[in-house]
Each structure stands twice: as C-alpha cells, then as structure tokens.
Coordinates of all heavy atoms in Angstrom, one line a residue:
L1 N 16.3 7.9 0.8 CA 16.2 9.2 1.3 C 17.2 9.6 2.3 O 17.8 10.8 2.3 CB 14.8 9.4 1.9 CG 13.5 9.4 1.0 CD1 12.3 9.3 1.7 CD2 13.6 10.4 0.0
R2 N 17.5 8.7 3.2 CA 18.5 9.0 4.2 C 19.9 9.2 3.6 O 20.7 10.1 3.9 CB 18.5 8.0 5.3 CG 17.2 8.0 6.1 CD 17.5 7.1 7.4 NE 17.7 5.7 7.1 CZ 16.7 4.8 7.0 NH1 15.5 5.2 7.1 NH2 17.0 3.5 6.7
V3 N 20.3 8.2 2.7 CA 21.6 8.3 2.0 C 21.7 9.6 1.2 O 22.8 10.3 1.3 CB 21.8 7.0 1.2 CG1 23.1 7.2 0.4 CG2 21.9 5.8 2.1
M4 N 20.7 9.9 0.5 CA 20.7 11.0 -0.4 C 20.3 12.4 0.3 O 20.5 13.4 -0.3 CB 19.8 10.8 -1.6 CG 20.0 9.6 -2.3 SD 21.7 9.6 -3.2 CE 21.5 10.8 -4.4
R5 N 20.0 12.3 1.6 CA 19.7 13.4 2.4 C 18.6 14.3 1.7 O 18.6 15.5 1.6 CB 20.9 14.4 2.7 CG 22.0 13.6 3.4 CD 23.2 14.4 3.8 NE 24.1 13.8 4.6 CZ 25.2 14.3 5.2 NH1 25.4 15.5 5.0 NH2 26.0 13.5 5.9
I6 N 17.6 13.6 1.4 CA 16.4 14.2 0.7 C 15.3 14.4 1.7 O 14.9 13.6 2.5 CB 15.8 13.3 -0.4 CG1 16.9 13.0 -1.5 CG2 14.6 13.9 -1.0 CD1 16.6 11.9 -2.4
P7 N 14.8 15.6 1.9 CA 13.8 16.0 2.9 C 12.5 15.3 2.5 O 12.1 15.2 1.4 CB 13.7 17.5 2.9 CG 14.1 17.8 1.4 CD 15.2 16.8 1.0
F8 N 11.7 14.9 3.6 CA 10.4 14.4 3.5 C 9.6 14.6 4.7 O 10.1 14.8 5.7 CB 10.5 12.9 3.0 CG 10.8 12.0 4.0 CD1 10.0 11.3 4.9 CD2 12.2 11.8 4.3 CE1 10.4 10.4 5.8 CE2 12.7 10.9 5.2 CZ 11.8 10.2 6.0
A9 N 8.3 14.5 4.5 CA 7.4 14.6 5.7 C 6.8 13.3 6.1 O 6.5 12.4 5.3 CB 6.3 15.7 5.4
E10 N 6.6 13.2 7.4 CA 5.8 12.1 7.9 C 4.4 12.5 8.1 O 4.1 13.3 8.8 CB 6.4 11.5 9.2 CG 7.7 10.9 9.1 CD 7.7 9.5 8.5 OE1 6.5 9.0 8.0 OE2 8.7 8.8 8.4
D11 N 3.5 11.7 7.4 CA 2.0 12.0 7.5 C 1.4 11.4 8.9 O 1.5 10.1 9.0 CB 1.2 11.4 6.3 CG -0.3 11.7 6.4 OD1 -0.7 12.2 7.4 OD2 -0.9 11.5 5.3
P12 N 1.1 12.0 9.8 CA 0.5 11.5 11.1 C -0.7 10.6 10.9 O -1.0 9.7 11.7 CB 0.2 12.7 11.9 CG -0.1 13.8 11.0 CD 0.9 13.6 9.8
S13 N -1.4 10.7 9.8 CA -2.6 9.9 9.6 C -2.1 8.4 9.4 O -3.0 7.5 9.3 CB -3.4 10.4 8.5 OG -2.7 10.4 7.2
N14 N -0.9 8.3 9.0 CA -0.3 6.9 8.8 C -0.3 6.1 10.0 O -0.1 4.9 10.0 CB 1.0 7.0 8.1 CG 1.0 7.4 6.7 OD1 0.1 7.3 6.1 ND2 2.1 8.0 6.2
A15 N -0.5 6.7 11.2 CA -0.5 6.0 12.5 C -2.0 5.9 13.0 O -2.2 5.4 14.1 CB 0.4 6.6 13.4
D16 N -2.9 6.5 12.3 CA -4.3 6.5 12.7 C -5.1 5.3 12.4 O -5.4 5.0 11.2 CB -5.0 7.8 12.1 CG -6.4 8.0 12.6 OD1 -6.9 7.1 13.3 OD2 -7.1 9.0 12.4
E17 N -5.4 4.4 13.4 CA -6.0 3.2 13.1 C -7.5 3.3 12.7 O -8.2 2.3 12.6 CB -5.8 2.2 14.3 CG -4.3 1.8 14.5 CD -4.2 0.5 15.4 OE1 -5.1 -0.2 15.5 OE2 -3.2 0.6 16.1
G18 N -8.0 4.5 12.8 CA -9.3 4.7 12.2 C -9.4 4.4 10.8 O -10.6 4.3 10.3
F19 N -8.4 4.4 10.1 CA -8.3 4.2 8.6 C -8.0 2.7 8.4 O -7.0 2.2 9.0 CB -7.2 5.1 8.0 CG -7.5 6.5 8.0 CD1 -6.6 7.4 8.7 CD2 -8.7 7.0 7.4 CE1 -6.9 8.8 8.7 CE2 -8.9 8.4 7.5 CZ -8.0 9.2 8.1
E20 N -8.7 2.1 7.5 CA -8.5 0.7 7.2 C -7.2 0.4 6.7 O -6.6 -0.7 7.2 CB -9.6 0.2 6.2 CG -9.6 -1.3 5.8 CD -10.4 -1.7 4.7 OE1 -10.8 -0.7 3.9 OE2 -10.7 -2.8 4.5
R21 N -6.6 1.2 5.9 CA -5.3 0.9 5.3 C -4.1 0.8 6.4 O -3.3 0.1 6.4 CB -4.9 2.0 4.3 CG -3.5 1.6 3.7 CD -3.2 2.6 2.4 NE -4.2 2.3 1.3 CZ -3.9 1.3 0.5 NH1 -3.0 0.5 0.5 NH2 -4.7 1.2 -0.6
V22 N -4.4 1.7 7.4 CA -3.4 1.7 8.5 C -3.4 0.3 9.4 O -2.5 -0.2 9.7 CB -3.6 2.9 9.5 CG1 -2.7 2.8 10.7 CG2 -3.3 4.3 8.7
R23 N -4.8 -0.1 9.6 CA -4.9 -1.4 10.3 C -4.3 -2.5 9.5 O -3.7 -3.4 10.0 CB -6.4 -1.6 10.5 CG -7.1 -0.6 11.4 CD -8.4 -1.0 11.9 NE -9.3 -1.2 10.8 CZ -10.2 -0.2 10.4 NH1 -10.1 0.9 10.8 NH2 -11.0 -0.6 9.4
M24 N -4.5 -2.5 8.2 CA -3.9 -3.5 7.3 C -2.3 -3.5 7.4 O -1.6 -4.5 7.3 CB -4.4 -3.4 5.9 CG -5.8 -3.6 5.6 SD -6.4 -5.2 6.1 CE -7.3 -5.0 7.7
R25 N -1.8 -2.2 7.4 CA -0.4 -2.0 7.5 C 0.3 -2.8 8.7 O 1.3 -3.3 8.8 CB 0.0 -0.6 7.4 CG 1.4 -0.2 7.3 CD 1.5 1.2 7.0 NE 0.9 1.6 5.7 CZ 0.5 2.9 5.4 NH1 0.8 3.8 6.2 NH2 -0.1 3.1 4.2
K26 N -0.5 -2.5 9.8 CA -0.1 -3.1 11.1 C -0.2 -4.6 11.1 O 0.6 -5.4 11.6 CB -0.8 -2.5 12.2 CG -0.4 -1.1 12.4 CD -0.9 -0.4 13.7 CE -0.4 1.0 13.9 NZ -0.7 1.7 15.2
L27 N -1.3 -5.1 10.5 CA -1.5 -6.5 10.4 C -0.5 -7.2 9.5 O -0.2 -8.4 9.8 CB -2.9 -6.7 9.7 CG -3.4 -8.2 9.6 CD1 -3.4 -9.0 10.8 CD2 -4.7 -8.2 8.8
L28 N 0.1 -6.6 8.6 CA 1.1 -7.2 7.7 C 2.3 -7.5 8.5 O 3.0 -8.5 8.1 CB 1.5 -6.1 6.5 CG 0.8 -6.2 5.3 CD1 1.2 -5.1 4.3 CD2 1.0 -7.6 4.6
G29 N 2.6 -6.7 9.5 CA 3.8 -7.2 10.3 C 3.6 -8.5 11.0 O 4.6 -9.4 11.0
A30 N 2.5 -8.8 11.5 CA 2.2 -10.2 12.1 C 2.1 -11.2 11.0 O 2.7 -12.3 11.2 CB 0.9 -10.0 12.9
L31 N 1.6 -10.9 9.9 CA 1.4 -11.9 8.8 C 2.8 -12.2 8.1 O 3.0 -13.3 7.7 CB 0.5 -11.4 7.7 CG -0.9 -11.3 8.1 CD1 -1.7 -10.5 6.9 CD2 -1.6 -12.5 8.4
E32 N 3.8 -11.3 8.3 CA 5.0 -11.5 7.7 C 5.8 -12.8 8.4 O 6.3 -13.6 7.7 CB 5.9 -10.3 7.9 CG 7.3 -10.2 7.1 CD 7.0 -9.8 5.6 OE1 6.4 -8.7 5.3 OE2 7.4 -10.6 4.7
E33 N 5.5 -12.8 9.7 CA 6.2 -13.9 10.5 C 5.5 -15.2 10.1 O 6.2 -16.3 10.2 CB 5.8 -13.7 12.0 CG 6.5 -12.4 12.5 CD 6.3 -12.2 14.0 OE1 5.6 -13.1 14.6 OE2 6.7 -11.1 14.5
A34 N 4.3 -15.3 9.5 CA 3.7 -16.5 9.2 C 3.9 -16.8 7.7 O 3.3 -17.8 7.1 CB 2.2 -16.4 9.5
G35 N 4.7 -16.0 7.0 CA 5.0 -16.2 5.6 C 4.0 -15.6 4.7 O 3.9 -15.9 3.4

C-alpha cells in the first residue's frame, strides 16, 4: 500500500482489547519469539 500510494483506513477497533481477536493478535507477538 505504501509503495503504490493506495489510500486505506485504520479501524480503531483493531486496538480494542475488549475483542478476543485483538487480544490474540497481541499475544501472537509474544508467541513469535518462542517459535
């Protein structure tokens, strides 16, 4: 997107830890270090 200069929107709910998927997304960062 950045290279092609394509516009897009950031959904603020993607940072809302009230949603299970967002919590799993953040957990993935820690799990990545453990393989």
Side-chain angles (χ1 to χ4, degrees):
L1 290 171
R2 291 194 297 271
V3 169
M4 303 298 291
R5 297 186 178 181
I6 299 167
F8 68 97
E10 287 287 4
D11 183 350
S13 65
N14 287 334
D16 185 351
E17 293 194 32
F19 295 117
E20 181 187 19
R21 183 171 290 277
V22 175
R23 297 195 298 273
M24 294 300 107
R25 187 170 300 164
K26 294 193 174 183
L27 179 59
L28 268 174
L31 292 175
E32 195 83 54
E33 297 177 6

